[in-house]
Amino acid sequence: MKRFILAFGLIFGATVAHAEIDIQEVESPGGLKAWLVEEPSIPFVALELRFKGGASLDVEGKRGATNLMVGLLEEGSADMDAKAFAEAKEDIAAQIGYDASDDSVSISLKFLTETQDAAVDLLRASLVEPTFDEVSVERVRQQVLSSLRSDATDPDEIVTRAWDSMVFGDHPYGSDYSGTIESVTALTRDDVVEAWKNALARDRVYIAAAGDISAEDLGVLIDRLLGDLPETGAPMPEDVTVETEAGVTVLPFDTPQSVAIFGHRGMKRNDPDFFAAYMLNTIFGGGGFEARLMEEVREKRGLTYGVYSYLMPKDHAELVIGRVASANNRIADAISVIRDEWAKVAADGVTEAELEQAKTYLTGAYPLRFDGNAPIAQILVGMQMDDLGIDYVTTRNAKIEAVTLDDMKRVAGELMKPEELHFVVVGQPEGLEDATVGQ
């Protein structure tokens, strides 16, 4: 059992306690692995599960099946209907959350130590014995369809879907994991059951826990919880290469404010230069009001209320991407400024002062993320999925401090590519005469 120590203040809810984070690597009797931060001072446990693959495992033509399946997990299981499941959860004051994304199905469980067995039994029933009865399938389907109809009139959703379709094409990333009105309408109960078998399997699960539970008890718990799931699920999707050209694509939409997504291919999470890229983006577009984009587009010119950029290292593709919204008669100016700043940072990198400020901010803010059992469990499971190593919490700030100005200039030149910077705009933008108009 490996142990690494991180010494800084832990905050559990409203209680501030200075303690050490001792990450234990646990292997259950059945061979499942987990990371644990044991904290017995409060009788409460947060458990996080991630099933890698997520909605990207949807079968061709069945888009939205995994999302619909996840929405049904607490709608009936074993001998309980949705009402009985909700009442059982309330009786033991447990909290269970289910979510789907492109790359994972996420399950969160929070429970009191004294109700551990009942909480685990309840979650196990929803994961291992879901009923997916036809009445529930139809009820949740209508909820999804209502959301999809609302998304069809939302410029933010329209531009996101247009961007994804442009850069990812036929790959699962190229369409919304919630599906379309047509695909969700056509899904059957059998499709939901197939999505469940594809997504929830032991060969792709990552587990973390924080709170009042020992390593031995956690091992027994996870076998009891997950031991009856299938050993294997569906194969993971292929990687996709992002290729863009400089330009603008406009999708006309009747709205007083245009919304734009911009960017191009990015950097993998396991790239040796990822820390430098992360710091570069913090300075460029990710650090709030101090970031260059906010300074140039909002503060100096008043072209928007908000503009930002971020790295998006997905499991099968990577992007550096940003978003801005502006009045139809000003979006062209906002795009012009963003282009100029993109080219400027690519050519010149950042300043020594900006680098030192970013180091201070990123190293100082990191401990604040560990502000409770649930955030700790979420961080631990994320570290496992990104293959960061169990000592990451103790080495992360040193890696940031080690980045030099020369590193930043080199990485800026490699990451930021003006010749690939593309904008997708939804609205009635003025002054983008050379834009390609989308369908």
Side-chain angles (χ1 to χ4, degrees):
M1 185 178 295
K2 299 169 65 176
R3 291 169 181 253
F4 292 86
I5 309 296
L6 177 64
F8 54 70
L10 268 180
I11 306 171
F12 289 92
T15 302
V16 178
H18 293 284
E20 294 178 336
I21 286 186
D22 179 357
I23 304 175
Q24 304 176 54
E25 191 171 39
V26 177
E27 182 166 350
S28 76
L32 291 168
K33 295 182 178 178
W35 287 4
L36 165 67
V37 170
E38 188 175 348
E39 171 46 58
S41 64
I42 298 177
F44 160 73
V45 178
L47 178 71
E48 286 290 326
L49 309 176
R50 296 285 188 280
F51 292 90
K52 206 175 188 69
S56 295
L57 301 177
D58 279 343
V59 174
E60 186 175 356
K62 306 294 183 183
R63 198 60 170 143
T66 302
N67 180 62
L68 182 60
M69 178 273 292
V70 171
L72 284 159
L73 288 176
E74 60 179 344
E75 293 295 320
S77 55
D79 57 352
M80 294 176 287
D81 60 14
K83 184 172 183 291
F85 187 89
E87 290 175 346
K89 191 170 58 174
E90 290 177 6
D91 286 345
I92 58 174
Q95 297 180 20
I96 306 177
Y98 307 85
D99 197 14
S101 67
D102 274 344
D103 287 328
S104 68
V105 171
S106 304
I107 313 291
S108 302
L109 171 64
K110 291 184 278 190
F111 56 90
L112 300 171
T113 307
E114 65 185 52
T115 62
Q116 173 178 309
D117 290 345
V120 171
D121 286 346
L122 197 60
L123 180 57
R124 179 195 171 280
S126 74
L127 299 181
V128 178
E129 302 177 274
T131 52
F132 301 131
D133 66 83
E134 296 286 3
V135 173
S136 296
V137 169
E138 194 55 36
R139 181 173 62 253
V140 177
R141 185 207 309 274
Q142 292 306 319
Q143 294 170 357
V144 175
L145 290 174
S146 177
S147 177
L148 290 172
R149 294 187 186 101
S150 176
D151 290 347
T153 62
D154 184 341
D156 286 310
E157 294 294 334
I158 295 170
V159 74
T160 299
R161 293 177 185 224
W163 171 269
D164 289 345
S165 176
M166 182 191 77
V167 299
F168 297 127
D170 294 333
H171 190 275
Y173 290 167
S175 58
D176 191 290
Y177 65 82
S178 297
T180 65
I181 290 175
E182 292 74 20
S183 69
V184 173
T185 299
L187 291 173
T188 67
R189 181 185 182 278
D190 287 345
D191 297 329
V192 172
V193 172
E194 184 175 18
W196 169 63
K197 293 178 178 177
N198 286 342
L200 303 189
R202 285 179 290 155
D203 67 340
R204 63 206 53 209
V205 68
Y206 294 80
I207 308 164
D212 183 23
I213 188 168
S214 68
E216 181 178 3
D217 287 347
L218 179 61
V220 174
L221 182 155
I222 59 180
D223 276 353
R224 179 179 171 186
L225 178 64
L226 305 172
D228 291 329
L229 283 177
E231 184 174 349
T232 60
M236 295 295 167
E238 299 291 328
D239 292 347
V240 55
T241 301
V242 174
E243 296 179 348
T244 57
E245 296 180 350
V248 181
T249 300
V250 176
L251 280 77
F253 188 76
D254 188 11
T255 177
Q257 180 170 265
S258 292
V259 181
I261 292 180
F262 51 92
H264 53 60
R265 61 190 166 97
M267 181 177 288
K268 295 182 182 298
R269 182 61 185 84
N270 62 359
D271 192 294
D273 283 326
F274 187 84
F275 274 104
Y278 182 64
M279 297 172 69
L280 177 72
N281 180 68
T282 298
I283 295 166
F284 180 71
F289 286 95
E290 300 298 323
R292 286 191 183 186
L293 287 185
M294 283 290 279
E295 176 68 17
E296 297 296 331
V297 183
R298 172 182 160 133
E299 298 301 317
K300 289 185 178 178
R301 298 172 177 82
L303 297 172
T304 183
Y305 285 109
V307 56
Y308 56 89
S309 64
Y310 53 99
L311 302 178
M312 181 186 282
K314 298 166 78 77
D315 284 353
H316 304 287
E318 51 281 340
L319 297 171
V320 53
I321 189 172
R323 185 181 290 254
V324 65
S326 186
N328 286 327
N329 64 353
R330 309 199 75 184
I331 188 70
D333 291 338
I335 288 174
S336 178
V337 175
I338 293 169
R339 280 174 168 158
D340 289 346
E341 290 302 314
W342 204 281
K344 181 179 176 183
V345 77
D348 302 331
V350 301
T351 67
E352 184 72 44
E354 288 176 321
L355 175 59
E356 292 307 314
Q357 186 175 16
K359 287 181 178 180
T360 300
Y361 169 72
L362 292 173
T363 56
Y366 187 55
L368 301 180
R369 298 183 187 179
F370 297 78
D371 64 349
N373 285 347
I376 290 172
Q378 291 165 5
I379 290 170
L380 297 191
V381 82
M383 287 165 53
Q384 293 174 72
M385 293 191 74
D386 287 336
D387 195 24
L388 298 180
I390 200 168
D391 63 343
Y392 176 75
V393 292
T394 60
T395 62
R396 182 259 195 193
N397 279 359
K399 291 175 180 174
I400 287 177
E401 293 287 0
V403 174
T404 67
L405 199 59
D406 286 342
D407 293 333
M408 296 291 279
K409 183 172 177 57
R410 173 177 53 80
V411 171
E414 295 172 357
L415 177 67
M416 310 298 280
K417 298 183 179 301
E419 71 277 12
E420 297 180 15
L421 178 59
H422 198 93
F423 292 76
V424 174
V425 182
V426 169
Q428 300 288 340
E430 300 173 13
L432 294 175
E433 291 82 1
D434 60 343
T436 299
V437 178
Q439 301 299 312

